[in-house]
Structures are given as structure tokens and as C-alpha cells.
Amino acid sequence: MIKRISVIGESIYYSFPIQLLLNHVKRNQVLLLCWVTLFAIISGNFGNYLGIPYLFLDPVYLNKVSFSSFFIMGVVISGISVAFHITTYINDGHRFSFIGVISKPFTVFSLNNSIIPFLFLFNYVIYIIQYQISNEYLSFDSLFVNLLGLLSGYCLMLIALYGYFWFTNKDIFKYVVCKLDEKLKQNIKATRASAMKKLNIAKKKQIRVDSYLSLNFENKRSG
């Protein structure tokens, strides 16, 4: 029984989502600080005296709180999430070499990197419900419409951005980095020895991952 629990615990620990989360803690503290700030804002622990939380919990567009105002907030939050995925993919994608041999690597990476964004969205919805019921005394129908606006904006933004990479079959890492890499090659003379040295360093920096979540939400082996 203990051995079985140990095996399950090890499989969870070395899953792609958990390793990405641990990697953020080790190497991406600035990105985490951005999310911590957002969490602090929606919970009322940051900028409360300046009314900053109300910009998120009770957004106004054209002098009223409506489906449109929450729709815009959904688009903004979704954009922040995608920017988070792109930044992480460019900075740390090379640490997980297995994603280079799977289909739609950036989309798979983003799905497994979604613990923090989805956790934020979930808490954001909870805080909106609490605030709107306790302070604005909204009816269930009005609250439902506002939340529908938020989630619609969030989902449509995701579909628009990922749809581009999906149907054009572009790897965001190659798309952003290749031009810079070409300029560096023009100015820096590379030797076989230096290339092998960089390859060995890259291998040593690889992070162990035993499984990942596929686009079909299936747990698959990485190797």
C-alpha cells in the first residue's frame, strides 16, 4: 500500500504541470510576482484604498456595469494568460526536450502550464460572485449575464490566439526566436567545439518529466 502511494506520488511529482509549476518557483519569480499582485488585487489585499479591486470586481464600460464590461475584462485576463505562456515557453521550453517531438508543442505546453491562470480565473469568478451579491445585490440573472460576459471574452480571446497558431501550424518559439538566432549567427562565429559545449550544457539543464496532459486531456508518457 505504501509502495503504491509512493509510486502515485512520484508520478504526480514528475508530471509536466507540476514540474512547470516548480520551475516557476525556482526561476520565474518575476512572473509569479505578477500573478501574486493580481491575486492580491481581486482579494482586496492590494490597492484597496485606491479602489483598484473594484476595477476588477465591478468593471464599468460606458458608465455602466454590464455584459460588455465583463467581456472586456475576460479578454484582458485571457491576454495576460497567453502572454504568460509565451514568455514561459521561450524562456524554459528548452528544458523540456520531449515537447519538440510532439504535435502542437506550444498548445500542449500552454495546457500543462495553465495551473496558475486557471486558478486565478476560478478565484476571480468566486470573488466577483461574493462582491456582486454582497455589495451590488444583483439578481441571479444579472450575475449570470455578467459572468457569461467574462467567460465569453476569456474563451474567445483564447480561441482567436491559439487558432492562429493551430491553423497556420506555427511554433511560437521558432516564430519569435529564429530571426534573433539568424542575426546572432551573422555576428558570432560558431565552432564545432562551442556547439558541442552548448549541447552538453543544455542536456544537463533538462528537467525530468514522466508524463504530460495531451490536448485530448489524456495522461501520456513523455518518453
Side-chain angles (χ1 to χ4, degrees):
M1 183 65 179
I2 296 176
K3 185 177 181 180
R4 184 179 180 182
I5 294 175
S6 177
V7 171
I8 294 174
E10 183 177 351
S11 64
I12 294 174
Y13 181 80
Y14 287 109
S15 64
F16 198 20
I18 297 301
Q19 287 302 310
L20 280 170
L21 186 61
L22 294 176
N23 182 70
H24 292 320
V25 175
K26 293 178 182 177
R27 299 182 175 89
N28 298 324
Q29 291 87 356
V30 175
L31 289 176
L32 286 182
L33 181 61
C34 295
W35 285 110
V36 169
T37 303
L38 288 174
F39 272 103
I41 289 174
I42 63 174
S43 63
N45 294 314
F46 179 81
N48 199 32
Y49 291 107
L50 298 175
I52 296 177
Y54 307 119
L55 299 176
F56 287 78
L57 303 177
D58 199 38
V60 176
Y61 177 67
L62 297 179
N63 297 319
K64 64 179 181 179
V65 178
S66 62
F67 176 93
S68 299
S69 63
F70 276 97
F71 180 89
I72 294 172
M73 287 304 302
V75 170
V76 171
I77 298 300
S78 181
I80 292 173
S81 299
V82 174
F84 170 70
H85 294 317
I86 293 175
T87 304
T88 305
Y89 187 61
I90 293 174
N91 288 340
D92 301 313
H94 65 280
R95 303 182 193 279
F96 308 94
S97 58
F98 73 93
I99 64 174
V101 297
I102 60 178
S103 178
K104 310 298 181 184
F106 176 60
T107 309
V108 173
F109 183 94
S110 299
L111 178 62
N112 286 268
N113 193 43
S114 294
I115 291 179
I116 296 176
F118 284 162
L119 186 62
F120 174 79
L121 181 63
F122 176 79
N123 280 271
Y124 186 32
V125 170
I126 296 299
Y127 281 118
I128 287 174
I129 293 173
Q130 291 177 346
Y131 179 84
Q132 293 292 329
I133 292 178
S134 301
N135 297 276
E136 302 298 328
Y137 306 106
L138 284 187
S139 64
F140 174 80
D141 292 341
S142 298
L143 181 59
F144 177 79
V145 170
N146 290 343
L147 291 177
L148 182 61
L150 175 73
L151 298 177
S152 297
Y154 190 94
C155 292
L156 286 177
M157 186 65 169
L158 285 182
I159 293 172
L161 292 174
Y162 284 101
Y164 170 77
F165 294 111
W166 183 277
F167 290 109
T168 57
N169 197 29
K170 290 185 180 292
D171 185 328
I172 184 65
F173 182 82
K174 294 178 181 178
Y175 187 75
V176 175
V177 175
C178 277
K179 290 187 178 179
L180 176 62
D181 187 50
E182 289 175 0
K183 290 183 180 179
L184 289 174
K185 287 179 180 178
Q186 293 174 0
N187 299 322
I188 301 174
K189 186 177 181 180
T191 63
R192 179 179 176 82
S194 63
M196 292 302 296
K197 184 178 180 180
K198 290 181 179 179
L199 180 61
N200 290 330
I201 292 174
K203 287 181 178 179
K204 291 179 181 179
K205 290 183 178 180
Q206 289 295 300
I207 298 175
R208 175 183 170 183
V209 172
D210 293 341
S211 62
Y212 67 94
L213 191 64
S214 71
L215 296 180
N216 295 326
F217 294 95
E218 297 177 351
N219 193 45
K220 291 190 174 182
R221 302 292 297 178
S222 60

